Amino acid sequence: MSDPKFSPSAAEVPEYRAAQRWNIVWVVPILALLVGAWMIYQKFTANGPVANVRFATAEGIAAKQTEVRCRSVRVGVVRDVKLDEDLKSVVTNLELNPDYESLLREGTRFWVVRARLSGTEVSGLGTLIAGTYIELDPGPKDGKRVDHFDGLETPPATNRDIPGRRLVLTTDQAGSLAAGSPVYYRGFEVGRVENRKLNPEGTLVTYDAFIREEYSGLVKKNTRFWNTSGIDITAGASGFKVRTPSIQAMISGGVTFGVPEGIEAGEVVADGASFRLFGNEDEAEDSTFNPTMKLVLLFDQSVRGLSKAAPVEYRGIPIGRVADISFDYQNAQNDSRIPVLIEIDPAILRRESAMGISQTDLDCLTEAVKRGLRSALKTGSLLTGALYVDLDFYKDVQPAELFKTGDYESIPTVSSGFAQLEAKLTAILDKIGALPLDDTLKKFGTVADEVAHTAADSRRTLVEIEETAASARKLIDSPEFAALPSSIKSALASVEKSVSSVGPDGAIQGDLLRTLDELRAALRAVTAMTTAIDEKPNSLLFGRDTSGNPIPKAPKLGR
Amino acid sequence: MTQGHPRAAVSGLASCHTCGKVSPVSLGNCPRCGSHLHLRKSNSIQRTVALMVAAVALYIPANVLPIMSSLELGIYTENTIVSGLLTFWKKGDYPIALVIFTASILIPLLKIVALSWLCLAANGKLHPSPSRLAKIYWFTELLGRWSMVDIFVVGILVALVQLGNYMTITPGAGALAFGGVVVLTMFAAMSFDPRLLWDQLEALEPHHSPLKTKDS
């Protein structure tokens, strides 16, 4: 290349040129290329598994910023947020770290963690500062790989992998029971209600309840669950009942469970067992009652105050309850009697023969009716006016037999108790009403008038007598009369004395005036009586003030 | 030999790379320190080109990958050089955007372009005027000092801002690549022997002073 003419050491000049052959330095760009390519490959192709999760709203979720966490460990990030095609939900595209691909399996749940404040929980306050994130709760270990999920709107109360018993409670009224409500056992919190659902038909509310592992052995086969939400005030045939749970349960609702007395607890249940959730403790207790016999009672009186589930008692022992009150059970169209369907547990009457077949029970009943067993409506509580059905033996009733009404047997009824009393009272009052009081009073009036006439007449008579006496005196004082013998004079004087006794100061007039006073007093008493009857018709029988009425208390069921 | 000033290479004299003593290259080793004697840096162009290829290779991930990721109040953001630049530009912080643009995009690019150009010139593929050659070479030397600004900033931020959840800054893969680019271009510039440029000029115009003539 260089001109040889001007290069004295021609051999030396090409020396440095000839040295420019392949050099070890080319390893550097090759390495750089490899490293660069690897970095870009990492960034764009080694992305983790992707999942689509649907939420109702994307509030607080930002693409490329909102994290996906599992137990507060960052396992991924939201890649994209899009509206769903139907514009009713949003679909978030999550990208997980490759290490956590296995978390995307069937049963995995997602929910957005935001700050939540409610009666039962204060959670996610950290998100106020650090922003919302999506929490991932991995599903069961052997779940299939899935990449489309429906996110939960509210966080589940407990993670799925926390050990414990998961139960299903069904009821027909949700009340204030909600996700997060505590589950109590003997007033001790042992679990939580996780969520609630209304079944598609809208007839049942289903709760998922969670009992912590250490208490899961408490849930037995015959365990009853009941709602302890709010304040429970019941007014029934057994009086008023007010129950208040803890303040927390009052606000957020709560579930209590226990095994009613008198029945076997049974075995410990498995996960997913389903229980009925009773409205209150009484319902739960009554649920042990097993009515096997249904009877229709025909009452010839008002059943106002008799409610469904009102007790049926035999001489104060609860043996059943009212199942229904409906004209449907009636035989004839024009029967004015009210049919009441009751269900009784004959086993309570005869514990030792609880296994006996119902035919035997029926025979017993037939026999009892022959001996005078009757049913009657009685007032359980004067305060609430609630009625109950009482079965008792009556001595002075007309003989009757068990008869059939529709599909059911019927025990003859008697009117008794308050209804009977009322009927008698009404009869008495009717009689009082029918009394000819007005006529009597009128007669009293005429009698008084007549007495007044008589008095006037006698006064006139007295005046005449006085005149006569005066003329007699004149006659006596006359000189002609003076000649009359003194014996006549004395006779006349005695006559004068007798006449003066009839005068204004005389005893006869005094008697008359007293009689008039008595009449007046009698009239006043009659007026007072009519007023009292008018104000309170039954005061004839009870007097004006009724004394306190003792309220009989019904004993508890199922003992 | 007679015209102009005699050149060391032509005279067979080489300057020792280690101690700077000028001695005949035929000696092989420096008589003073014993280092191997070369007339020019060995494989200079090839090395430079190789390092630049490496720099270009890394320049792509440096710009594509995030240079810095920040966790601010739980919000995680990743920024590449360009996205950071755009953020500042959109906010209206034009001076900062310009600084970033200059330090992180313009300078490395210019450096690579300039070095490539110099390599071509040294290899005789281009025939620029000596004055332009000199300027471009000077420019390359000048740029090299400023190309580490980005890495410097990231390094300071990462070291200082570690406040847990409230604010944390971590370097991204891009920072590594970008650092690689800067280091590689520096090495490339170092391994380039500028005397090769003047050798080319001498070769083209042996009779004249390099600053004067131009004919062919």
Side-chain angles (χ1 to χ4, degrees), chain A residues 455-518:
Chain A
D457 286 352
S458 44
R459 199 166 284 145
R460 246 194 327 276
T461 317
L462 285 175
V463 171
E464 278 165 15
I465 289 170
E466 247 170 69
E467 279 165 8
T468 317
S471 56
R473 194 177 295 253
K474 220 184 274 168
L475 189 73
I476 290 163
D477 288 349
S478 67
E480 303 91 42
F481 201 78
L484 280 175
S486 60
S487 61
I488 292 174
K489 214 183 217 171
S490 60
L492 277 174
S494 65
V495 165
E496 193 181 1
K497 207 191 276 170
S498 73
V499 166
S500 68
S501 74
V502 185
D505 301 325
I508 292 172
Q509 197 164 7
D511 280 349
L512 272 172
L513 285 173
R514 239 188 337 274
T515 312
L516 278 174
D517 279 346
E518 275 165 20

Side-chain angles (χ1 to χ4, degrees), chain B residues 174-186:
Chain B
L176 198 68
F178 190 77
V181 171
V182 175
V183 169
L184 284 172
T185 50
M186 282 167 97

Side-chain angles (χ1 to χ4, degrees), chain A residues 6 8-9 12 16 19-23 25-26 28-29 32-33 36 39-40 43-44 64-65 67 74 129-130, chain B residues 1 10 12 25 39 43 46-47 49-51 53-54 57-58 60-61 64-65 73-76 78 173 184 199 207:
Chain A
F6 298 101
S9 50
E12 288 156 29
Y16 64 77
Q20 289 188 340
R21 54 192 153 75
W22 194 88
N23 194 288
V25 82
W26 284 103
V28 177
L33 265 173
M39 282 165 117
I40 292 178
K43 173 76 180 168
F44 291 102
K64 299 199 171 75
Q65 286 184 355
E67 294 180 2
R74 186 180 191 272
I129 298 166
Chain B
M1 190 83 65
V10 175
V25 77
L39 278 176
N43 303 330
Q46 203 176 100
R47 276 180 194 215
V49 169
L51 290 173
V53 169
L58 284 184
I60 296 162
V64 170
L65 298 180
L73 296 179
I75 298 166
Y76 181 82
E78 287 188 333
L184 284 172
D199 284 347
H207 303 288

